[in-house]
Amino acid sequence: MAYTSLHRSVGALPGRVSARMLADAVALRVGEAEDLDWKLNAEETKDRREHAKDFAAMANACGGIIVTGVGEDGADHAAELVGVPDEEAKRLVGSFRSLAIGLVRPYIPAFTVYPVPLPSAPGRSAVVVEVPRSTEAPHLVTWEKEAWRYPKRVGTDTVWLGETDLEAAYRRRFALRQDAQSHLQRLHDELRPRLQLNGIEVWIVVTAVATVPAPVETAPPANPSVQDPIMAKIIKALPSYSLLGSHLRHANPVVGLRRSIFTAHLPYVGKSSRVHIELHQDASFGGALNGGARTGNDGALLSQLDLEGGVRNLVMAAVMNAAARGADGTLQLHAQLVSNGPVALAEREATHFERLDGGLTLDFSIPGQAPSSVTAEASLNDLAASEERRDDIANQLLLDLTHQFAVPSLLLTD
């Protein structure tokens, strides 16, 4: 979700560009910037490769938006909102997408193109290209026969990257990937001490990080006296019965540092006994559900249905939080079972009996293990738009977890 100098100049929240924003930009004479480019029409650029160059250049810098249908004065300030005919706008949307796919390598994650109908000019629309700052940078473009070049936007100009610049860009790409993995693990490590582990219990823990974080400067602080709108939507979207919904029935947070914390353990004193959810302002996520149906000296018994339901609930919550806050790019997820002892995975509910000494003997269940963490990633836009895609990524995490119990395929629900 875009948040650029255009949004800041006209006082708009992160999100798609509107006709009102463009009209305000013209009235305020908003100038081009590193993340904002005005174009009167597509004919300004005769060579189709120039469009691809502009897309890659922004992705290789700080990201931004390119608006076709805005005339400029002599100083690169928005001066007139004219748009292009609606049919031309429709053609440009398809053309720009094709150019980004065909001429830019690697493909820019979360690259978006859409028309903006103009009420002030019926039958005409502006065309907006949103280019996120890409974690896959540097991006190259086809320039001459069998030749590739790397552009980058610097201020309002576009330059070609040299050898030293390329070395730094590739180093940044690999560092960002490593940072994302470290961030996921750090979220997990911060969450674990907040979970009560009395005796042998098992928690289902999922953390998530978007490669293009949300702009934290627009995020409201946590307010325990009112419902959090994002958590309210998550609870409403849960199935009629869910592990998360059974543990957490309210959307009021407790105060957190740059995050909103939700728990059923009230008053909250730093630890949770059944559920612990953290929605971070940068769109990262940490969630944990206590899934240990029965515990004893032999370990914690986790039912397969609770494992599957818990992971699906937490994945959905992570996706909804990231999408609602305006994150972009790829959502990376980390899942792990946390316990003080071994975890036994039950294929059905009635799989234990109590001994005279109060211990627990597990039967008809898969032997206890200490499963390692697993990870998965997918496009945030795809996950937000498709329940099927969310199920796919949850299934990937679940299969990687259950394979550690020496079971090739254990999913009970679709």
Side-chain angles (χ1 to χ4, degrees):
M1 190 177 294
Y3 187 66
T4 66
S5 56
L6 170 61
H7 294 74
R8 291 186 287 270
S9 296
V10 301
L13 294 174
R16 287 196 167 197
V17 173
S18 66
R20 176 61 182 274
M21 291 170 60
L22 296 176
D24 289 347
V26 170
L28 295 170
R29 291 295 194 266
V30 174
E32 288 189 342
E34 190 167 63
D35 63 354
L36 176 60
D37 190 6
W38 303 122
K39 293 187 183 298
L40 179 60
N41 54 56
E43 295 306 313
E44 283 188 24
T45 304
K46 301 292 185 181
D47 190 333
R48 285 161 44 91
R49 293 174 302 179
E50 288 285 349
H51 293 299
K53 174 185 173 184
D54 290 339
F55 305 155
M58 276 197 169
N60 287 339
C62 62
I65 57 175
I66 302 168
V67 183
T68 300
V70 176
E72 305 168 56
D73 60 18
D76 295 333
H77 296 95
E80 187 179 13
L81 181 56
V82 295
V84 298
D86 287 343
E87 284 301 314
E88 173 69 2
K90 183 178 180 180
R91 184 190 70 79
L92 287 177
V93 168
S95 176
F96 289 162
R97 286 175 178 159
S98 296
L99 289 170
I101 293 171
L103 299 183
V104 180
R105 295 289 185 276
Y107 178 72
I108 303 168
F111 179 89
T112 308
V113 192
Y114 54 90
V116 180
L118 303 176
S120 61
R124 300 179 72 86
S125 300
V127 177
V128 177
V129 176
E130 289 186 6
V131 184
R133 182 176 185 177
S134 177
T135 54
E136 296 301 311
H139 296 269
L140 48 80
V141 293
T142 304
W143 199 245
E144 296 169 351
K145 187 177 181 181
E146 297 182 357
W148 300 86
R149 301 189 74 177
Y150 296 81
K152 181 178 181 179
R153 191 169 172 89
V154 178
T156 59
D157 298 321
T158 297
V159 301
W160 297 111
L161 296 179
E163 182 179 357
T164 302
D165 299 316
L166 283 175
E167 180 183 354
Y170 276 109
R171 195 161 54 238
R172 176 181 174 273
R173 179 198 285 184
F174 300 137
L176 283 173
R177 290 180 177 175
Q178 183 60 46
D179 287 347
Q181 292 297 317
S182 299
H183 192 179
L184 282 171
Q185 187 61 51
R186 186 167 66 252
L187 287 171
H188 176 88
D189 293 343
E190 290 175 356
L191 189 63
R192 182 165 180 158
R194 301 186 180 114
L195 309 179
Q196 283 190 2
L197 287 167
N198 299 323
I200 303 176
E201 295 181 295
V202 57
W203 286 80
I204 304 161
V205 181
V206 171
T207 56
V209 172
T211 55
V212 182
V216 296
E217 61 265 34
T218 62
N223 186 348
S225 63
V226 299
Q227 283 196 342
D228 181 272
I230 298 176
M231 180 52 74
K233 289 180 180 178
I234 291 170
I235 292 175
K236 185 176 180 180
L238 291 169
S240 55
Y241 173 79
S242 65
L243 190 60
L244 176 54
S246 67
H247 286 345
L248 186 66
R249 301 181 183 276
H250 64 86
N252 290 65
V254 296
V255 175
L257 177 62
R258 295 183 294 277
R259 71 197 71 181
S260 296
I261 297 176
F262 304 85
T263 178
H265 195 106
L266 299 174
Y268 177 65
V269 291
K271 283 186 178 291
S272 298
S273 58
R274 290 186 295 164
V275 58
H276 188 96
I277 304 291
E278 298 188 359
L279 306 183
H280 292 246
Q281 292 179 351
D282 67 354
S284 54
F285 171 88
L289 295 169
N290 191 330
R294 297 298 301 270
T295 59
N297 297 334
D298 297 298
L301 178 64
L302 175 63
S303 82
Q304 181 184 340
L305 286 174
D306 280 349
L307 172 61
E308 291 189 24
V311 169
R312 293 187 199 283
N313 292 169
L314 295 174
V315 167
M316 185 190 74
V319 171
M320 292 182 67
N321 178 59
R325 293 182 184 276
D328 222 325
T330 298
L331 189 68
Q332 299 178 313
L333 297 125
H334 173 286
Q336 189 166 3
L337 301 180
V338 171
S339 177
N340 282 334
V343 178
L345 191 61
E347 296 181 85
R348 60 179 188 171
E349 292 291 345
T351 56
H352 60 274
F353 62 88
E354 295 182 3
R355 298 196 304 261
L356 292 177
D357 63 2
L360 192 68
T361 296
L362 305 177
D363 195 13
F364 300 108
S365 61
I366 297 163
Q369 305 287 332
S372 301
S373 62
V374 298
T375 59
E377 63 179 46
S379 162
L380 176 56
N381 282 346
D382 291 347
L383 293 171
S386 169
E387 182 179 355
E388 181 179 359
R389 191 70 187 95
R390 292 193 293 274
D391 282 343
D392 287 343
I393 205 71
N395 285 347
Q396 183 178 335
L397 293 171
L398 284 164
L399 285 172
D400 286 345
L401 284 171
T402 56
H403 283 179
Q404 297 179 62
F405 291 90
V407 176
S409 179
L410 196 60
L411 298 179
L412 292 178
T413 59
D414 294 324

